[in-house]
Amino acid sequence: MSANNKKISILYIDDEEDNLLSFKATFRRNYDIFTATSSAQGLNILNNNTVHIIIADQRMPQSTGVEFFDIVRTAHPDPMRILLTGYTDVEAIIDAINKGQIFRYIKKPWDKLELQTSIKNAYEVYTTRQNLKIKIEELQRTNDELNRFVYSTSHDLRSPLASVMGVLNLAKMEGSVKDPNGYMGMIESCVNKMDFFIIKVIEYYKSVRVDEAYEIVDLKKLATDSIDLIRMQNRSIIFDLQVNQPEEFWSDAFRLSVILNNLISNAVKYQKPDECNPFVKLVIDVNQQEANILIEDNGVGIIEDHLNNIFKMFFRSNFTVTGLGIGLYIVKEALTRIGGDISVASTPGVGTSFLLKVPNMKPVRESE
């Protein structure tokens, strides 16, 4: 019984009215009882009343108890289901249990104590599931509110950062501030890093919350735009872009851009300081089914023990480089949303390569 002493509500379905009367006479003081002599009556009761537990006889003329439960669990998944059977229909019972159609089965004629215990256990499971559902909904609401707060705050923070950067640039242009110790450069560096972190947070929010939008994507232009954006991080990097796109490629341009930006940025960020010929290579090959994208560098590499963890949020394989540890997590999340996959191979001190497989979501026309 629940904490507020509400009675357990039970629907009992049986084509034999004597059985219904016997059940009602036995348990009317303990439970709120609805009875029905057919599946149609039972469905009508479920549509108009709150029912915690359904008890149905297996052998009924219009449909078996298992068949009724199979129909009911789609429209009314919450009530617990108990099957009564006077026959040794073992295969049907096992199949029903395996498919999750019934909580328990009891042989007829039923024993009062056994049935009462089964009802008690079923209601405990019912209340546990309802409480869990409420908690999940509360967590979802809290998570949504937190995401919106983070997104809104991130946007609001970029405005004062832009103002600070504007003042710094103005001071440099006018030469009005003497800075023999390089403090202005340090401030500029910190502002840029903070702005970079905020952009990553916004990227994550959009990747998780924004719905997929599929369109024709020019992968050469997309990759070129990413390279031009990231080239400023290290102008000594040699970029080698090879694109073979003989087919129309349909995908989510926004998420692909986020994926390429993060992977190319990492390839640049984790270069060896003493490397004479740093490079980042992109090879993109498109066919009717998918796009294969290889991003390779000759940077510091990743040790084998870290390869299984690099896509986890906040994991960083190299603490000598400043970062949030969410770039590859964003990549993995965005790829999952568009049905793609990613693999990585790396040798410490030699470099890292990421191979992406992104499905071509080209719409199928009726003529095809």
Side-chain angles (χ1 to χ4, degrees):
M1 204 71 65
S2 61
N4 57 4
N5 294 321
K6 283 181 64 178
K7 279 188 176 181
I8 299 173
S9 177
I10 299 174
L11 167 61
Y12 182 19
I13 306 171
D14 196 320
D15 62 316
E16 297 181 22
E17 290 196 22
D18 288 344
N19 292 335
L20 299 179
L21 291 171
S22 175
F23 180 84
K24 202 162 189 176
T26 304
F27 295 111
R28 69 183 185 280
R29 295 183 183 277
N30 303 95
Y31 315 120
D32 285 334
I33 298 172
F34 300 96
T35 58
T37 56
S38 68
S39 299
Q41 286 184 11
L43 280 172
N44 186 55
I45 290 170
L46 286 170
N47 290 334
N48 294 283
N49 298 275
T50 299
V51 174
H52 304 130
I53 297 167
I54 306 170
I55 301 173
D57 186 32
Q58 168 64 359
R59 297 298 177 96
M60 294 185 289
Q62 293 181 346
S63 67
T64 66
V66 169
E67 289 170 345
F68 174 70
F69 285 150
D70 195 34
I71 297 169
V72 162
R73 67 175 180 160
T74 301
H76 302 279
D78 292 336
M80 304 300 295
R81 300 173 289 274
I82 296 176
L83 185 70
L84 295 179
T85 175
Y87 302 84
T88 55
D89 197 353
V90 178
E91 289 187 5
I93 293 169
I94 291 174
D95 187 51
I97 293 172
N98 288 340
K99 291 180 178 178
Q101 293 167 322
I102 64 174
F103 169 71
R104 185 163 296 174
Y105 83 93
I106 296 174
K107 289 183 180 181
K108 294 173 65 177
W110 45 264
D111 175 76
K112 178 183 176 181
L113 182 59
E114 181 186 10
L115 187 53
Q116 199 165 20
T117 301
S118 297
I119 291 170
K120 179 177 179 292
N121 293 339
Y123 186 67
E124 287 175 352
V125 174
Y126 174 88
T127 52
T128 300
R129 288 178 178 176
Q130 294 305 303
N131 290 336
L132 181 60
K133 185 186 294 186
I134 292 169
K135 292 296 182 184
I136 290 172
E137 290 173 354
E138 290 175 353
L139 284 172
Q140 186 63 56
R141 283 196 299 271
T142 302
N143 186 56
D144 290 343
E145 290 170 2
L146 180 60
N147 276 334
R148 286 193 293 271
F149 172 76
V150 170
Y151 181 71
S152 176
T153 303
S154 298
H155 260 293
D156 292 344
L157 283 173
R158 293 202 74 195
S159 180
L161 284 179
S163 299
V164 172
M165 187 58 70
V167 172
L168 286 172
N169 289 332
L170 190 62
K172 285 195 292 185
M173 288 173 58
E174 294 177 346
S176 57
V177 178
K178 293 182 180 180
D179 185 25
N181 297 316
Y183 293 144
M184 287 182 62
M186 294 168 63
I187 294 171
E188 184 178 2
S189 176
C190 290
V191 170
N192 283 329
K193 286 177 182 177
M194 184 175 290
D195 191 49
F196 173 77
F197 292 160
I198 291 171
I199 289 172
K200 289 298 178 187
V201 171
I202 294 173
E203 275 186 3
Y204 169 71
Y205 176 87
K206 286 183 176 180
S207 180
V208 171
R209 307 299 298 181
V210 177
D211 292 334
E212 297 83 6
Y214 295 109
E215 59 187 303
I216 297 175
V217 179
D218 183 342
L219 286 169
K220 184 173 184 178
K221 182 180 185 306
L222 200 70
T224 301
D225 289 346
S226 291
I227 290 171
D228 289 343
L229 178 68
I230 294 159
R231 193 190 300 272
M232 293 181 292
Q233 293 181 20
N234 187 343
R235 295 192 176 276
S236 66
I237 300 285
I238 300 167
F239 288 93
D240 178 11
L241 175 61
Q242 303 172 27
V243 181
N244 175 34
Q245 188 175 349
E247 305 281 344
E248 269 190 1
F249 183 72
W250 287 69
S251 190
D252 186 317
F254 163 70
R255 285 186 169 83
L256 273 179
S257 176
V258 168
I259 290 165
L260 291 178
N261 287 348
N262 277 285
L263 289 174
I264 296 171
S265 177
N266 271 13
V268 171
K269 188 190 306 180
Y270 291 101
Q271 272 292 340
K272 298 189 287 288
D274 57 350
E275 176 61 48
C276 298
N277 298 297
F279 74 83
V280 176
K281 183 179 180 180
L282 278 82
V283 180
I284 302 174
D285 187 64
V286 179
N287 56 49
Q288 290 184 347
Q289 288 74 41
E290 63 186 10
N292 293 286
I293 304 173
L294 175 69
I295 300 176
E296 185 178 3
D297 66 65
N298 60 341
V300 296
I302 305 168
I303 64 174
E304 187 175 355
D305 290 347
H306 287 176
L307 288 178
N308 292 328
N309 297 313
I310 58 174
F311 296 107
K312 295 179 180 178
M313 185 178 281
F314 303 128
F315 181 84
R316 293 171 58 196
S317 62
N318 190 322
F319 287 91
T320 62
V321 179
T322 302
L324 280 175
I326 66 171
L328 290 179
Y329 177 82
I330 293 172
V331 167
K332 183 68 173 177
E333 287 291 304
L335 263 177
T336 300
R337 289 290 295 267
I338 59 176
D341 195 17
I342 186 170
S343 59
V344 57
S346 186
T347 303
V350 177
T352 303
S353 63
F354 289 92
L355 178 61
L356 289 71
K357 292 183 179 293
V358 184
N360 191 344
M361 304 302 289
K362 181 179 179 180
V364 179
R365 297 177 176 85
E366 292 184 4
S367 58
E368 298 177 356

